[in-house]
Amino acid sequence: MTALLAGISLMGGLCATQAHATTITDMAGRTVEIPHDVHRIILGEGRLVYALAPLEGTHLFERIVGWQGEFRGADTQSYDQYVARFPAAAKVALIGKTTADTVSPEKVLDLHPDLAILTVSGHGPGASSELVNQLEAAHVPVVFVDFRANPLHDTIASMRILGTVLNREAEARAYTDFYQSHLDRITKAVATVPAERRPKVFIEMLAAMRESCCHTAGKGNMGAFIEAAGGRNIAAPLLPGYIGDISLEKVIASDPDIYIADGTKGPKAAGPGLRMGAEVSPELARSSLRAVEDRPGISTLRAVTGGHAYGLWHAFYDSPYNILAVEVMAKWFHPDLFAGLDPEKTQKELYERFLPVPQTGTFWIAP
């Protein structure tokens, strides 16, 4: 009788668990069943914390048990600010360094996760990785999101997915409503601008940090921000993918109207590159932009000599905060059309409403 009752109890428990499970389709097109209560989360990239912050708020590091280590290297200042606010962040286990091939499936499984959040593309493990195979074999659900390849299309869908799997649907809805309303304002206005009035734009990603120019965005990623803001991305027809390299000669021949450099280096960083992001003053950002501009070839661009060179935070390229980059670009490209647009106000609202860490610093700069 006792065994029968135990069996009934077990079956009831299983039925309850199954009743609370949610099935979602992730950004890799995979169907995944998610348990109702998720307690131990692995992040395939540390910078996915940008996406979890608006959803988890002050509980941000209560469920993250492992992440890849690129966050602390690629955006050191933001990492330091998060550690200051959440000391537990410094204790999150590292499952790898800065690339997918450094991620150890064994380390991940030793952390006993009940959910892994990975990115469709980027620095972390992809859908065909051994990590995914081993997690699925261990019955750990794996969910893919995207803020990098097709950000303006995938950000809202990705945030909704995260809201569902983290049981933070209301928080996700608040953020996506905010995001959509700001994006709609830009796209509706840009739709009235004829093609010939849209400036030719070149963005140099991680400007001056590589031996040769020029690392940039094509169709997608930062290139999508340029197009949405009413610009014509000169690299779009030159690259097969959404990120790649084009020669300085092609940049010069394209004669862009606007040049944008991006970077994430902080005040204490060594070497060339744009100082931008948390803890960076406007004065430091502007002086570093001048140094980036003052390079052979770049310094001769009409956009630079004409005073149309700008600086931007590189991490917008893989963050749900990318709406700020779109607003800033729209203001740069079409100042008359967007005279009433205030990206600083939008940033203030985003930080105060949605982020548990009040980041201070400079995230874009004009000449």
Side-chain angles (χ1 to χ4, degrees):
M1 183 67 174
T2 302
L4 177 60
L5 290 173
I8 293 173
S9 175
L10 177 59
M11 288 176 65
L14 287 172
C15 289
T17 300
Q18 290 170 356
H20 286 295
T22 301
T23 300
I24 59 103
T25 301
D26 69 8
M27 297 310 297
R30 302 161 59 257
T31 300
V32 187
E33 188 173 271
I34 307 295
H36 178 69
D37 292 315
V38 170
H39 302 287
R40 299 180 63 79
I41 300 169
I42 293 291
L43 300 182
E45 292 192 22
R47 282 174 292 182
L48 279 168
V49 75
Y50 299 146
L52 267 63
L55 307 180
E56 294 282 74
T58 57
H59 303 284
L60 182 56
F61 286 93
E62 291 178 7
R63 297 195 277 180
I64 301 172
V65 297
W67 59 2
Q68 193 168 269
E70 95 293 341
F71 177 36
R72 64 187 64 191
D75 188 9
T76 305
Q77 310 96 270
S78 293
Y79 172 79
D80 289 344
Q81 289 188 343
Y82 271 95
V83 169
R85 173 65 178 81
F86 298 101
K91 301 176 183 178
V92 174
L94 291 178
I95 61 170
K97 297 179 181 178
T98 62
T99 57
D101 60 353
T102 64
V103 174
S104 166
E106 291 76 18
K107 285 184 179 179
V108 173
L109 291 171
D110 284 346
L111 293 170
H112 305 291
D114 48 24
L115 175 67
I117 304 173
L118 308 183
T119 56
V120 170
S121 62
H123 291 264
S128 60
S129 69
E130 181 59 28
L131 174 63
V132 172
N133 294 335
Q134 293 200 24
L135 285 170
E136 290 180 338
H139 305 289
V140 177
V142 179
V143 172
F144 282 88
V145 293
D146 174 48
F147 302 100
R148 191 174 190 263
N150 194 4
L152 297 186
H153 180 269
D154 291 350
T155 290
I156 287 178
S158 293
M159 291 300 286
R160 287 174 177 166
I161 287 170
L162 291 176
T164 299
V165 303
L166 298 175
N167 201 18
R168 301 286 190 192
E169 289 92 343
E171 292 83 354
R173 189 178 309 111
Y175 188 81
T176 56
D177 286 350
F178 163 85
Y179 184 101
Q180 188 71 66
S181 66
H182 284 271
L183 183 60
D184 285 347
R185 178 181 180 182
I186 304 296
T187 55
K188 287 176 182 177
V190 165
T192 68
V193 181
E196 63 271 15
R197 287 184 48 214
R198 301 187 182 199
K200 293 185 295 181
V201 182
F202 173 65
I203 185 165
E204 184 181 5
M205 300 172 72
L206 300 174
M209 291 179 60
R210 300 181 177 220
E211 289 186 10
S212 60
C213 186
C214 302
H215 188 56
T216 190
K219 298 179 182 72
N221 200 262
M222 289 274 200
F225 306 162
I226 291 171
E227 300 292 339
R232 288 177 288 161
N233 177 23
I234 67 166
L238 302 176
L239 290 176
Y242 62 88
I243 291 180
D245 298 324
I246 63 175
S247 69
L248 178 58
E249 290 75 19
K250 287 185 177 179
V251 176
I252 294 171
S254 296
D255 189 29
D257 301 300
I258 290 175
Y259 168 80
I260 302 172
D262 85 17
T264 57
K265 287 203 166 186
K268 300 175 183 177
L274 187 70
R275 271 56 182 172
M276 189 64 60
E279 301 179 4
V280 175
S281 69
E283 295 76 19
L284 178 57
R286 190 170 285 111
S287 65
S288 71
L289 176 60
R290 287 195 291 267
V292 167
E293 295 170 17
D294 192 25
R295 292 178 293 147
I298 297 297
S299 62
T300 64
L301 292 175
R302 179 171 56 86
V304 173
T305 60
H308 296 289
Y310 304 90
L312 192 67
W313 188 46
H314 175 67
F316 283 129
Y317 95 119
D318 196 12
S319 161
Y321 318 152
N322 57 49
I323 186 59
L324 298 176
V326 178
E327 284 203 354
V328 170
M329 288 183 183
K331 190 87 171 178
W332 291 339
F333 301 170
H334 302 285
D336 294 336
L337 180 64
F338 291 106
L341 185 65
D342 189 347
E344 286 80 11
K345 182 180 178 181
T346 304
Q347 182 186 43
K348 186 174 186 290
E349 182 182 0
L350 192 157
Y351 285 176
E352 290 181 353
R353 282 186 62 192
F354 299 107
L355 300 189
V357 173
Q359 288 187 306
T360 57
T362 304
F363 295 83
W364 54 83
I365 199 72

